[in-house]
Amino acid sequence: MTTEPTAAETAPRPQGHACVQSYLATLDNSPGVYRMLDAQARVLYVGKAKSLKKRVANYAKPSGHSPRIARMISETASMMFLTTRTETEALLLEQNLIKQLKPRYNVLLRDDKSFPNILITTGHPFPQITKHRGAKTEKGAYFGPFASAGAVNRTLNQLQKVFLLRNCSDSVFDSRTRPCLLFQIKRCSGPCVGRISQQEYGAAVRDAERFLQGRTTGVQEALAAEMAAASDAMEFERAAALRDRIRALTQVQSVQGINPRGVAEADVMALHMEGGQACVQVFFIRANQNWGNRDYYPRTGSGAEAAEVLRGFLGQFYENKDPPRLILLSDDIEDRDLMAEALSERAGRKVEIAVPQRGEKADLVAGAARNARESLARRLSESVAQGKLLAGLAEAFGLDAPPARIEIYDNSHIQGTNAVGAMVVAGPEGFAKSQYRKFNIRGTDLTPGDDFGMMREVLTRRFQRLLKEDPDREGETWPDLLLIDGGAGQVGAVAQIMADLGVEDIPVLGVAKGIDRDAGKEEFHRPGQRPFALKHNDPVLYFVQRLRDEAHRFAIGAHRQKRAKAVGATPLDEIPGVGATRKRALLAHFGSAKAVARAGLADLKAVEGISDTLAETIYGFFHDRG
């Protein structure tokens, strides 16, 4: 239950220790979550407690706090409480509230994207092997996580060489009449055109699954025996193909780096803190194989200690991911057993958290710690250089202060088709790729190629949302500078758009190529001012070029994705009730969308998975259109 302030408590409260002290009389020893708020009712901190009364009593003490906690208490003007049945529930609720509210004094994981997996599908005579990211809704065997798309792509590439499994979609598989290029370069066994039997292909699938489960020795021994038998039978071409597959398998194992013998499944997390910043390096060990590593830079909550940083990171990291059976840490955390219990409850199986001191596990943690230290050193060095560039940018363009957030906008289209707008973000830590956004242009009244109209739509959607979600600009999502790829016309149009939205205090800068259209001779435009240029060797010029080029790259990439998706689109995508499965069934039955459009009602009803009602909907969709 939530304890809201009573009528007596609505009167002005003292701030700081006296405010915290005033709540003690109304609290008991129940477990729960507490929130500390400032005078503007902004959440300063979210915490969990085994006993709310004891935890708040600790904050009410006038001394004995770290500078960070003392500063937080001094800003506290009110508190809110939520009781739970158990301390485990309190821990899980605490992490959810931290992710939702993003309090200033909490440790905050800012990059929580999902990781890619390898999926071997089921439900088809010839299963597909492919990369998968997101919810595991498709039937099949999942192997992962891999640290990055690059890591999973490299492994997939090698696995195709070894096991010759198809990666094409079912619809492409069903439509093939002759082998594709992958068959020609020995990356696929050609099941689509009968070049391998279902039994032989199934054996290859089982071998691939055994390899991804860590049972690599048996796979290699079986291939070696098969190669020897082919050689003895003087099937030299087949023996050579098997030799190549064994070499590819060896290469897969070598590129995975250090493969621990005694650790079958674990996430290895090591923390390094320096200069008020933190880096957590995470290594993914699955099936006794190293499937890559990734570094994170959590916000340290205005100076939290190492144990609190790692605890906060751990809880938020697994908020949307399945934890492994073992988690190895470089530093111990408060309530380690409680965190393990909470993760076990979330995973539906036992999860162990350990801080190894010796042996192979300690060596793994030491390696991760070394990587964390080196990654943070590079980041701090880059931050110093980035800070100088931002200061130079402010000086060159007459800004009041170095911008903490720059938003760069660009559009991409081909004669107005598949138009997208793109926004990239940069700041003191470089490009913030998790903040990038793409906008599918929706306006139906735009003239093809109307860049001004597209920019109006993008900025209107962007800032209307900001005005709705954060009208007081308390968060970190309001920009300090808008950079536009364009000249005086674009800058003037953007300034008018912003004025129409009532947002006129954000500087707008346009960057356009000079008279010769050469990089290095850019002209800069500001509303109501004459254009100017920077010296050709000015670091700020190179910095602005990088910002513009990154927006251009992102916009083109988004446009290509949209165009590729449109190439594969058919009128069937527009029919209510026809999803991917039914679309596949219709195309497999009739051969093409045009044939579906010409089909009679009785023929449509004969398709497996198409009900009488849906058949009438499909028939009506095409025939009502004339």
Side-chain angles (χ1 to χ4, degrees), residues 19-187:
C19 169
V20 176
Q21 179 81 36
S22 68
Y23 284 96
L24 283 175
T26 63
L27 294 173
D28 58 22
N29 288 314
S30 299
V33 174
Y34 58 92
R35 280 173 273 184
M36 307 177 84
L37 296 85
D38 65 11
Q40 286 75 45
R42 293 175 296 197
V43 179
L44 297 170
Y45 185 79
V46 173
K48 68 92 188 163
K50 185 176 182 179
S51 166
L52 286 170
K53 188 178 185 72
K54 290 180 181 178
R55 179 58 59 90
V56 174
N58 186 55
Y59 284 125
K61 294 177 182 177
S63 60
H65 303 291
S66 68
R68 166 176 168 264
I69 298 300
R71 188 166 62 250
M72 179 180 74
I73 293 172
S74 70
E75 296 178 25
T76 300
S78 62
M79 296 183 71
M80 294 180 66
F81 306 93
L82 185 69
T83 59
T84 59
R85 292 179 301 167
T86 65
E87 192 180 2
T88 303
E89 286 184 11
L91 177 62
L92 294 173
L93 178 60
E94 174 200 36
Q95 300 304 326
N96 289 338
L97 288 174
I98 290 172
K99 293 290 288 290
Q100 176 186 343
L101 300 172
K102 299 179 174 58
R104 187 194 321 162
Y105 285 95
N106 280 100
V107 173
L108 185 64
L109 173 60
R110 290 174 285 189
D111 180 8
D112 60 347
K113 292 181 179 178
S114 62
F115 295 107
N117 289 267
I118 286 178
L119 167 64
I120 298 180
T121 62
T122 56
H124 192 283
F126 297 94
Q128 171 196 21
I129 185 169
T130 185
K131 177 175 68 177
H132 179 90
R133 190 191 291 271
K136 297 178 180 179
T137 55
E138 192 168 349
K139 292 182 179 180
Y142 291 87
F143 302 91
F146 288 81
S148 65
V152 76
N153 286 337
R154 285 192 297 272
T155 301
L156 273 175
N157 186 36
Q158 296 298 330
L159 287 176
Q160 282 183 274
K161 292 180 182 178
V162 177
F163 302 108
L164 308 182
L165 302 184
R166 71 179 180 95
N167 66 355
C168 58
S169 66
D170 289 351
S171 58
V172 170
F173 180 93
D174 294 338
S175 64
R176 295 299 306 183
T177 57
R178 57 182 179 178
C180 66
L181 178 62
L182 289 177
F183 176 82
Q184 306 295 337
I185 62 174
K186 298 180 181 179
R187 299 288 180 85

Side-chain angles (χ1 to χ4, degrees), residues 571-572 575 585-607 610 612 614-624:
L572 300 178
I575 305 175
L586 288 165
L587 291 174
H589 187 91
F590 292 104
S592 69
K594 287 184 178 180
V596 176
R598 293 194 298 264
L601 184 57
D603 296 327
L604 291 168
K605 290 180 179 180
V607 179
I610 304 298
D612 292 351
L614 182 56
E616 291 172 1
T617 301
I618 298 170
Y619 184 83
F621 175 83
F622 288 110
H623 291 79
D624 290 347

Side-chain angles (χ1 to χ4, degrees), residues 227-307:
M227 179 181 70
S231 179
D232 291 342
M234 296 188 179
E235 297 176 358
F236 299 118
E237 187 174 346
R238 174 173 164 75
L242 288 165
R243 178 203 61 202
D244 293 342
R245 291 172 63 183
I246 292 171
R247 286 178 178 173
L249 185 56
T250 303
Q251 186 176 355
V252 175
Q253 294 168 302
S254 65
V255 299
Q256 285 168 337
I258 302 171
N259 294 324
R261 295 181 179 180
V263 182
E265 177 184 328
D267 284 350
V268 183
M269 297 186 176
L271 168 70
H272 184 75
M273 297 181 66
E274 185 179 338
Q277 295 191 42
C279 175
V280 179
Q281 187 80 207
V282 183
F283 279 76
F284 302 97
I285 308 296
R286 297 295 185 273
N288 294 96
Q289 300 170 18
N290 181 354
W291 282 355
N293 62 295
R294 189 165 172 180
D295 47 5
Y296 292 85
Y297 301 91
R299 194 184 71 187
T300 57
S302 299
E305 298 297 325

